[in-house]
Amino acid sequence: MILFSVSLALLSAGILCLALLRHKPRWAENVFLVFLTLGCGSAFISAVDTLIRQESFVDRLPWSLPWGEVTIGIDFVSALFLLAVTLLCFLAGVYGIGYLRNGEHQQDIAGHFCLYLVFLMSLMLVVTARNAVLFLLAWEGMSVSSYFLITYHDGNEEVRQAGLLYLIAAHIGTLCLWVMFILLGTQAGSMDFGRMSAAQFPLMLAGVVFVLGTIGFGVKAGFIPLHIWLPHAHPAAPSHVSAVLSGVMIKMGIYGIIRLIMMVKHFPPWCPAVLTAIGIVSGVGGVLYALGQHEIKKLLAYHSIENIGIIALGLGIGLWGQLNQYHTIAVIGYAGALLHVFNHAMFKGLLFLSAGSVIRQTHTGEIDHLGGLLKYLPWTGALFLIGSLAICGLPLFNGFISEWLVYRALFEGVFSFPMEPVILIGLAIIALALIGGLALMCFTKAFGTVFLGQARSQHAADLKENSAPMIAPMAVLAGVCVWIGIFPQTMVSFCLQGAMRILPTATNTADMANILRPVQWMVLSLFVLIGISIFLVLFRRMAMKNMSVAKSGTWGCGYAAASPRMQYTASSFASPIVELFREVLCLRRAKARPQQIFPEKVLVASEVIDASEHFFWRRIYRLMQEVCGRMKSIQCGYAQIYVLYIFIFLFLILIWKVT
Amino acid sequence: MLPIFSHILFVLALSPLLLGVIGKTKAFFAGRWGPPLLQPWYDIAKLFRKGVVYSTTTSWVFKLTPVVVMATALASCIFVPWGSIAPPVYFWGDALLFIYLYGLMRFFLIIGALDTGSSFEGMGASREAAFSCLSEIVLFMDFILLVMVSKSLVLCNMLNTGFFSSWLSMGPVLVLVAVSFFLVMLVENSRIPIDDPNTHLELTMIHEVMVLDHSGYDLGLILWGSYIKLFVLGSVLVSLFVPAHLSPLTGVTFFLCGMGVLGITIGVVESVMARLRLNRVPHLLIGAFVLATLGFIVILLKGA
Amino acid sequence: MWLDISLIVIILSGIVLLGSSRIGTIIQLFAFQSLVLSSIPLQVDRAGLNWHVLTIAFGTLIVKVFVMPNFLFWAIRHVRLRREAPTILGYGKTMLLGGILVGMAFYISSKLTLPDRYFSRLFIPAAFSIFAIGLLLLVSRVKAITQVIGYLVMENGIFLFSMLLLDKTPFLIEMGILLDIFVAVLVMSIVINNITEDYEDTNTLNLTTLRD
Amino acid sequence: MLLFLILLPFSGGLLAFVLPKNSLRKILLIGVASIHLAAVLGLWSGGMPDNGSGPVFLGLDVLGKLILTVISILFAAVSVYLWGYLKNERACNRIFTGCLLLLLSSMTLVSVSAHMGLLWVALEATTLMSAPLISFERSPQNTEAAWKYVLICSVGIALALLGTIMLAISSGNFKTVFLNDLLNHASVLTPSWLKLSVIFLLVGYGTKMGLAPMHTWKPDAYAQSPAPIGGLLSGALTACPILAILRVVQICNRADLSSFIEPILMVMGVLSLGVAAVFILRQKDFSRMLAYSSVENMGIIALGLGLGQAAYWPSMFHLINNALTKGFMFMLAGNLYQHYRSRDMGQIQGVYAQNALMGVLLVLGFMSLTAIPPSGTFFSEIMILSAAVQSKHYLIAAMFIVFLSVIFIGMAKGALQMFHHGPASKQESSPMVHPVSSMAPILVLGAIILALGLHVPVFLENVLRSTQTSLGGR
């Protein structure tokens, strides 16, 4: 506790220092690094301490907000989130120093770092706040500071628009949270989380609160169809910010839902169904849209939606288990969700950072303009590959472990639950399988087009690998991904512990051993795989010794004049699936057909339209604009009419109230 | 450790034979004598002795691919029972690892293909990725059915516990599972009617075109890996039909006979059918999915 | 008796106001109405003439009959032409509407009950009528000057209404109100003066540049 | 003491009319404002002057005191700001300064008047004294705005006079409108006349407050007046009619008519929110946006008062926050206009790049306008929402949320656009610098806003709570 307070104090000090260092960018970098390290370090240690010693605490700081106390606490769930927050924010921050150096807007660097610390601090407060008012305060602090982080390159119109969309979405979501917390607080008689947990909520109220929470937190988390800000904001932000946004900030929505489940406990039976359905739609929708993207960070942004979908599936099945008294299923589902939160923070952070490295060197994120970068950016490429393998949920990497837990919970749900849930759960399993397959396609596309084959532009030869301070954070993230992938026991047991804390009733520890045993076996089988691979590599090296190895061009099937531009593009690669889901994706094609006998230019461009954005939200916005435009004639400029308004209103009130 | 080794060795040894059986059957239908039963073995041996040619475009990813393909294929076999012999490794949830190992294999096959920068290999990779998405959901649907029947998430239990009772009560479901699984197996291993391993037109191929640039030792590993994959998936299918609680020897015999029958069946199918048009392949998979879903509905209505 | 007649005269002058078209006439009619009005305090006073009532009557007389009309004439002194004050609806319809409003005022007043006895049955209806007429004048004319007069006529209605409480209203407040009205007219006259300087006319149709 | 507070600015105002030089008048303005502020703050340290229970014209209860303090603080800030502002204006500021001081005097009179008639007189006086301030710059648009302001407010407030007379009629046997009398004998007021009078008073004072649909003068008046005057009008001057409405609420609560007045206030509040939302969404003019934001905030306060006991102190808190924010924002806007020579938010770009401090302050103001913590408005609005939910007015709560969302969209579009770099900011080369007198009041108000968002001192909380008991009656 003391350590955590120290961390908060350090960060505040850092914020103050940086606010004063506007004109000294180099100084600002150092000061930022020092305070970031100290602040993240102490918070990280306090989180680890909580996880290891298994004791949570709640404490009240000597300070009072107008409507509540500053109560903070770290329990298991908070600690897990705190772990991801501090780790990723620290690494992304370190990366950010290198990323922003020598870029444009040097004079804003101190402000940027300052806001980064504000953002970090509000993230830490969000997961540790134990009072609704403090929570909302931190929540809005998070939204606003991240808005300014996103709009760092604000000379660009698109960036400003993206930021604005994000801020508006975030704030409207927050307004839903206001109502939600007020409803909870009214019932509990206090805005304190502890009191809320102790209160009893009628089922009806629980349902309303659930809906409000799902909307309010869902906007942040990026549930489809509330996700529209996400694919715009992530590409707009500097890469280290995208990493943090995608890695931890959208998880705050998940944290909120988990906290809500912990407080309300009993929900109407349709709630898990809704959560599962959201998971299915977001997961499959996210990955399908990702498949249609041509821009690397936009692609990654849609993958965030997909992963949020997977997490929602975990939560959904967990909640189902909780409501139907299947504690094992609930624990596994929640643990899967929690672990995936952490894992996603790691591998998505890694992916965004390595995408940032690519963009920093090539100045473009268009996948189809790149190619062959593995030769020029070997570290970035290798680390991106690790991230890709992890996000596809393939064995040996962390994504698999959490997806495996979610699968496990779902499969156990299939043969435990009554008919109606089983249909949805079956669908969820299929969706998860489809997500896996599509993600694989998407990341082979991304990795293959960007890093493999030949460069599609001439400038590639000048590219240099980024500096070590940028590579090192990525390497650490990759290390964590592999560590959890091969030695999952530690994190899985932490997450199981956390999941048990989510349940209202205590689960015995024998259960946990049962749940953990297959994980140990899995480690064994993974080692078999590793062993075989090592054996094969060694064997190959031996066998190759006395064999001829020749170098030659790629076999062009008889075509002699192949050029790099003839390589299969990302769009073509994705096209079989995009075509198959044409209707869902609202595929738009622009074609210029060959005109003369010797046509000069032929053009094919395809674009995937985000249906909920274009056919729902934009229309609503346009409608709103139109209605407001019409109503502007109220303010027509004639004083006589204005006077008449007064009397008409008076008259109406008289009729209403006096007769 | 020993059971794992022996299991792996047996698979290594036996898997090319299944291809031999298929080849013999096809030859029989074509009215030829055909290559010897051990021809796949000879092929592999030949490839292992040859030199290697690498494209200048490729990187270490290309060289890693064969190793991963072989390793994942071998690792996947340790979860599959042989008749009544339990697999060396089994645990709650191993079925998922089993499926995802193939995912890993596929990932590397695809990026290996993309590493060459050849548009043909890219094309093949794209198709492989697209079709396997669909085949994977069929596979999962089948697994859902098996899980519901067996109430277990251990692959060997899903396949052959309570054989008679489950066939008695769930016969129709298991038939649906078997049929759809058979289709998935064909897709996964790029057999006719989805893909023709013997074709020579690069534009229409799927699997074969992805490994165009591999040669010598590497190609040998990939080929062997794909034999193993066919063998392992086949053994999953066959295990469905092998009664449990037989003595080990009878069980294994039963199993090996089943594998033979499977080889012949594949051979027959490949002899009597033509390759589908590429854009029809998804329809086949969707058909398989519908079959499996039908099974799901049957189970739900029966209230298992 | 005299009270009733005065009240009726006041209402009638209001109706005539609605029908008049010349700005000068309107201002003079208002002055006439105020003249009658300023006699009301003397008529309703029950305690005999005292300085309180006298001051109120006299103050009203001075401010409303002499000072204000002069201000208004001052404000429009630049306007040589266009001395008529056209309505939006037309004079006939405005007068008809005025009649309807007076009728409604009578109807509504009949529904109200006062807590204790009052001087004349016409008192409240007359107050409401004048108030309504003022409103109508304000809304239906396009010239700024007529709007001021509309406001003042409304004010007359309120004044009449406040006569109900003549004996209890603190003198200070009465004077404060009168002062406020006075300053209001002063300010409005200045503003109108500015308007006429800017636009050469007090037509409020010019005053619609500020809108959304 | 109270008399001193009124007479000080009054005599100052008269003095301003006779002083010969602009600079002397500026000194006079700041001097009077600071003495006034000191005196008002001094009131808090001393014990509460007892109103007694008899009929008095002047009295200062906790409501009046609170509002007087807000007025005084804002006036002091604006007068300091005007020091730098008036330097750029060549015109003679005799009438301007004089009216400003008389305005302060009448606003003080509003907050200390304990007689509903006197309250009316003072309120009408504030309208009249502020009209010349609006037309200070003497362009046709200024004149038009002043005309509309005077006309509409006078007509509206005439209704309030009618309402006051009706209030007197309802008080049957004593027939006075001394506040003490009304409150002490509230139960014997004639309900039918009281109801009628409440409606007239609400509509009348609502016009002055700027509640929809009587708000129509507001955007014109605020946008056309000099920016700091806009701040004074929307921050301090609106507090005066609010006090009048608080009195009405007080009487109604004592007379057991709270169920009568509350729905009316809620309707007016929600209507104001809605109208503000409609006009803010597509607003291009910064001052007009702030004016509609004022309509919105008046709506929120009315809504809070309409929600009953639980929302009283949040409403009072909101009043304070809103007043400070508006003063802050308008003065900030004044600085921006002086640099960019435009009120169009599309033209003002790259504020942060031009002057980082101004950029940060702009964001702070934006946060306070849109109730993003840490700003006091966040707490007051969420508490009002909470009161709506607690009293089961779910529809009201839903509309509140919807309108706040729309308003947020409009404001974010406008205000944040100014903050960022944009195409226009490229050509701007002259640095944006402001004299200390133009920055200091903004910084002070900003600090108070921020402080109230982070921590409400026990002292202030007690005061707010006592306003609640003072309003609540029984």
Side-chain angles (χ1 to χ4, degrees), chain A residues 332 374-375 378 381-382 385 388-389 392-397 400 403-404 407-408 411-412 414-415 417-419 422-423 425-427 429-434 436-441 443-445 447-449 451-454 517-519 521-526 528-529 532-534 536-537 539-541 543-544 547-557 559 563-564 566-568 572-577 580-581, chain B residues 1 4 8 47-61 63-64 66-68 70-75 78-79 88-94 96-98 100-108 110-112 114-127 129-134 136-138 140-141 143-144 147-148 151-153 202 209 212-213 217-218 221 282-283 286 289 296 300-301 304:
Chain A
I332 299 177
L374 190 59
K375 297 193 190 67
L385 177 62
S388 309
L389 288 163
C392 292
L394 295 174
L396 294 181
F397 299 94
F400 175 70
E403 284 192 32
W404 181 80
Y407 267 126
R408 224 183 115 181
F411 271 110
E412 290 189 22
V414 159
F415 60 79
F417 289 157
M419 187 161 115
V422 166
I423 296 175
I425 293 172
L427 211 57
I429 294 176
I430 298 302
L432 206 49
L434 190 61
L438 292 173
L440 191 146
M441 182 163 191
F443 274 94
T444 48
K445 163 186 129 173
F447 180 72
T449 320
F451 289 100
L452 301 179
Q454 285 176 289
R517 198 167 302 126
V519 178
W521 275 100
M522 186 156 67
V523 174
L524 177 79
S525 5
L526 291 177
V528 171
L529 176 63
I532 297 171
S533 309
I534 292 172
L536 285 172
V537 171
F539 186 78
R540 178 173 180 276
R541 187 159 292 172
M544 287 290 213
M547 267 185 234
S548 68
V549 176
K551 285 270 180 187
S552 150
T554 300
W555 167 234
C557 301
Y559 187 74
S563 83
M566 293 167 83
Q567 293 174 94
Y568 221 51
S572 324
F573 185 84
S575 107
I577 288 288
L580 196 64
F581 291 92
Chain B
M1 282 316 262
I4 298 181
I8 288 176
L47 285 171
F48 273 9
R49 272 179 283 126
K50 283 204 161 198
V52 193
V53 183
Y54 288 120
S55 160
T56 45
T57 315
T58 56
S59 59
W60 52 268
V61 171
K63 292 171 191 154
L64 188 60
V67 172
V68 174
M70 189 64 180
T72 46
L74 285 178
I78 60 175
F79 307 112
V89 177
Y90 54 90
F91 57 90
W92 189 261
D94 59 358
L96 301 164
L97 182 57
F98 176 77
Y100 269 78
L101 280 175
Y102 286 120
L104 189 59
M105 175 196 277
R106 194 181 311 126
F107 192 100
F108 272 90
I110 293 172
I111 60 172
L114 290 173
D115 199 15
T116 61
S118 152
S119 47
F120 295 107
E121 298 200 26
M123 213 177 278
S126 161
R127 289 171 191 158
F131 296 151
S132 58
C133 282
L134 299 175
E136 201 161 75
I137 62 172
V138 184
F140 265 95
M141 198 72 218
F143 273 26
I144 291 175
V147 165
M148 288 175 89
K151 300 206 183 307
S152 165
L153 207 53
E202 293 89 345
V209 80
L212 266 184
D213 248 53
Y217 177 85
D218 288 347
L221 278 185
H283 301 178
I286 290 168
F289 184 68
F296 186 59
L300 278 183
L301 292 181

Side-chain angles (χ1 to χ4, degrees), chain C residues 9-193:
Chain C
V9 168
I10 288 172
I11 295 174
L12 276 179
S13 66
I15 302 272
V16 178
L17 257 177
L18 285 178
S20 356
S21 63
R22 309 255 329 151
I23 290 180
T25 323
I26 290 174
I27 296 176
Q28 280 157 359
L29 268 171
F30 162 72
F32 171 71
Q33 190 184 48
S34 304
L35 180 70
V36 182
L37 199 69
S38 61
S39 72
I40 301 283
L42 305 173
Q43 299 183 42
V44 298
D45 185 45
R46 278 164 289 176
L49 294 178
N50 58 23
W51 64 271
H52 176 187
V53 176
L54 274 175
T55 333
I56 287 173
F58 194 65
T60 314
L61 185 74
I62 297 287
V63 171
K64 286 194 173 167
V65 183
F66 297 107
V67 181
M68 283 184 185
N70 279 322
F71 270 148
L72 295 174
F73 277 121
W74 170 80
I76 58 167
R77 71 191 187 282
H78 292 293
V79 189
R80 297 270 168 256
L81 307 165
R82 307 224 186 119
R83 284 260 175 159
E84 78 279 11
T87 67
I88 294 172
L89 293 171
Y91 299 106
K93 278 182 205 154
T94 315
M95 282 174 77
L96 194 66
L97 211 57
I100 293 171
L101 283 178
V102 171
M104 272 172 68
F106 273 79
Y107 173 74
I108 291 171
S109 314
S110 69
K111 298 283 177 193
L112 294 171
T113 48
L114 277 177
D116 51 41
R117 62 160 207 93
Y118 47 105
F119 326 103
S120 157
R121 297 176 68 81
L122 278 178
F123 213 96
I124 293 176
F128 278 152
S129 303
I130 296 177
F131 191 84
I133 286 167
L135 168 67
L136 192 59
L137 200 61
L138 188 98
V139 173
S140 70
R141 298 291 171 107
V142 296
K143 296 263 169 156
I145 196 87
T146 43
Q147 290 179 340
V148 179
I149 295 183
Y151 168 69
L152 289 173
V153 173
M154 279 169 69
E155 188 60 48
N156 278 350
I158 297 172
F159 179 80
L160 202 53
F161 202 71
S162 71
M163 287 301 111
L164 287 173
L165 301 160
L166 183 64
D167 46 346
K168 289 286 185 167
T169 315
F171 177 67
L172 199 66
I173 303 300
E174 290 279 6
M175 286 299 112
I177 292 172
L178 203 58
L179 183 71
D180 269 346
I181 309 293
F182 170 71
V183 179
V185 172
L186 181 69
V187 170
M188 285 179 185
S189 305
I190 293 170
V191 175
I192 289 175
N193 191 38

